[in-house]
Amino acid sequence: MKIKHIVESQQFTVPLILELFERTDLMKKVVARGGTKDYEKKVMASLFYKPSTRTRFSFESAMYRLGGRILSTEQAKEFSSEVKGELLEDTIQIVANYCDAIVLRHHEEGGAQRAAAISPVPIINAGDGSGGQHPTQGLLDLYTIYNECHALDGLSVAIIGALDQGRTARSLAYLLSKFERIKLYFIAPDELQIKPDILEHLDEKGVSYQLSSNTDDIISKVDVVYQTRIDKERLKHKEIDLTKYNIDTNVLKKMKYNSIIMHPLPRSVEINPAVDGDPRAAYFRQARNGLYVRMALLTMLFDKE
Amino acid sequence: MKIKHIVESQQFTVPLILELFERTDLMKKVVARGGTKDYEKKVMASLFYKPSTRTRFSFESAMYRLGGRILSTEQAKEFSSEVKGELLEDTIQIVANYCDAIVLRHHEEGGAQRAAAISPVPIINAGDGSGGQHPTQGLLDLYTIYNECHALDGLSVAIIGALDQGRTARSLAYLLSKFERIKLYFIAPDELQIKPDILEHLDEKGVSYQLSSNTDDIISKVDVVYQTRIDKERLKHKEIDLTKYNIDTNVLKKMKYNSIIMHPLPRSVEINPAVDGDPRAAYFRQARNGLYVRMALLTMLFDKE
Amino acid sequence: MKIKHIVESQQFTVPLILELFERTDLMKKVVARGGTKDYEKKVMASLFYKPSTRTRFSFESAMYRLGGRILSTEQAKEFSSEVKGELLEDTIQIVANYCDAIVLRHHEEGGAQRAAAISPVPIINAGDGSGGQHPTQGLLDLYTIYNECHALDGLSVAIIGALDQGRTARSLAYLLSKFERIKLYFIAPDELQIKPDILEHLDEKGVSYQLSSNTDDIISKVDVVYQTRIDKERLKHKEIDLTKYNIDTNVLKKMKYNSIIMHPLPRSVEINPAVDGDPRAAYFRQARNGLYVRMALLTMLFDKE
């Protein structure tokens, strides 16, 4: 299937997702044998308007394992010392001359869409604005569930954190809604619960869900716990004890033996490092899947010709 | 022909320019077939004392398309946290151990010359000081005219902007003076007109030129409009309406059908984006030529052995 | 011999040092013929929590000459804009997914040890904290002496500077103590002399040494002068004339004809540039040896499998 740009998770249909996962499985084998040279003529530009070394390294490593090369900046705001506020469109048209794909992290919501509208080379959205999209994170999350649970249909997934602004939580809920017999649990302090637009979408798709302000009854039932962070500063009702959302070895004991714990990382206190050694702690494997999924996405863009 | 360093546009004789253009034409073909591996053992260091991502990407992409590798810094001022104000000469001698060519952007005029004086590997001046040289920009401008107009002799060229400090404008005037039957129009507010040293040089070379404070009579006559920016802050006579120097679709209507509009980019308001779609808008092709010209220059340096 | 990480100079036994030097000699030949592709599938990550372009370039060039690839950041503190103070351990576990070795410069003493304790890929300590280790510098210093003097046993070495905090001076003293009939001279203002822990170590190993506050009687006797910097600000007794520790052409006249002058660079006033042309000025050759030694170290890590 052909895709030109990767701008938002909505563009990924189930067949496209399944092709992506097939390619991702293949990329694991490619990496295991030391990478490929198939894309050695390709140059990828990392055009980051604010630093995100983790995401950048993940993409750049993906490109290297495919044999390609990297142009890289984490200070694209200082792209030119002469004209402040140069049009993103101009920048993209210039950088497109120097590479075969642009991984863009832009500070404004909609930046990736604007870039894709005029770019002659593929744009990959690596996050635009705080309320914007970060589709490759959503896809690697989905792949991790698929890979760890050997299925997507029929899963029950608890998503914990400040869900109202949780870009990754929202993306994951959206992507999971494409599959059958999914049961979602949104666990957050009431004032930070997931927004109605997602719930309306789930209603439309006939996805079963439940909202809760604590993990107690839920944690023992689910196949996947998707943990994210809650910043204390965001809470008006400061008396709320956030530790009840944390995962430690006690919580672990209540979880199903074949469930998994995920986290988009970086973590703060919400997962105790004592949990890391448990086989259900999937978050570092999840980070590694970022490499494979991004390799697969790059091949989908490059193979389109 | 052999060159050791690229420090200033003055070092380029007509035969050297013609060799460069021949190599540049060849590089277009090399890129079209996905690059070469001929220089895969070469390492180029981008040693930028202030960020200029556009110029850096252009050079680094050129190196990649030649098969080579990149060491890169945009914060060479923090080259060492220990000794502030380390001698540029020491830095060059150390970095030269780690690469086969150094692309240097230095904050002091004459920095590239000082580096070239002691460097065992080729130095390429990517801009030194605000009043200094940026020879590869001048050469790619000249190549663009040659490539778009299929000639250099006999052309009439309007250069617009704050020409007194316009590094690119000055370089281009200098380089064009090497060719036959050139007619130059310098268009600028009186107080920002091109400096006498350039005019004296043109007189010596017998090049015809005209100064003007507006584009009216000229824009319809020229083969090339080389547009640059005028910063309002530089004008003492603030009442001057700078919009009369801008290019929009109205100005476009007055221009010859086979003329071209150039701009070193980034642009601000001086070219309206509505102009971009016109085939005479050559500035993005000009940016792309930066890739080919820099590839050609690198081969001239590497092939010298 | 197998090594997993390079954390501190203490881990290098004499047989390991000799293997390193053999490999280093080989690397000189490899570079002379333009590098190798033997490690072309390897990716090295430069994870610098504070900039040190010199050290970074040295490692990255080493990796390129081995055929490998580079992920690079000099602002790892901004690794994530979301969680400040992310655990180094988490960062390492994530980055390890994207590369085959991590060159780490961390701002905290012991950072490299912590990283090595959990990293699935080799960690190379490129400096941790101001009082910490920088083992590859010590090893390249030792190699330079071996290479220039064709021996290590039986040498007399003067080490000059603010030795109490001199990381390189301390490392070198430590490494030299492993060899036979070494005579060390520590030359520093009294209040900045080498600390007792090093002297105790030398006593244990039976190494002969002498402390002095001036170079006068010593400079003509030694095979190696290892010069470092003294920051005026560190002296309480401001009346001390630091110029007496500097090396200029007058000092050069007193030195043995076959001695050498070393410096970890960057230098300030402590070596006059007029000395650079003398064949005994070995500091730029020393910087170049950094390339070969780091190549050799990388091969020792990569070949371990």
Side-chain angles (χ1 to χ4, degrees), chain C residues 49-110:
Chain C
Y49 281 75
K50 52 183 194 176
S52 176
T53 312
R54 180 195 323 278
T55 301
R56 183 169 65 83
F57 272 20
S58 175
F59 272 109
E60 293 181 356
S61 180
M63 194 63 187
Y64 280 152
R65 299 304 188 192
L66 292 171
R69 287 140 186 277
I70 303 295
L71 298 172
S72 191
T73 184
E74 284 192 330
Q75 46 187 359
K77 271 189 193 165
E78 298 178 62
F79 197 75
S80 160
S81 50
E82 300 159 60
V83 173
K84 300 301 173 197
E86 185 191 1
L87 281 176
L88 173 63
E89 283 81 356
D90 277 16
T91 304
I92 294 294
Q93 283 189 81
I94 293 166
V95 174
N97 287 317
Y98 306 142
C99 62
D100 304 293
I102 297 173
V103 176
L104 176 69
R105 167 154 301 201
H106 201 248
H107 47 289
E108 291 167 15
E109 203 172 324

Side-chain angles (χ1 to χ4, degrees), chain C residues 138-154:
Chain C
L139 292 166
L140 79 87
D141 290 343
L142 194 68
Y143 175 79
T144 300
I145 297 174
Y146 163 82
N147 185 253
E148 299 270 336
C149 304
H150 309 293
L152 286 167
D153 295 336

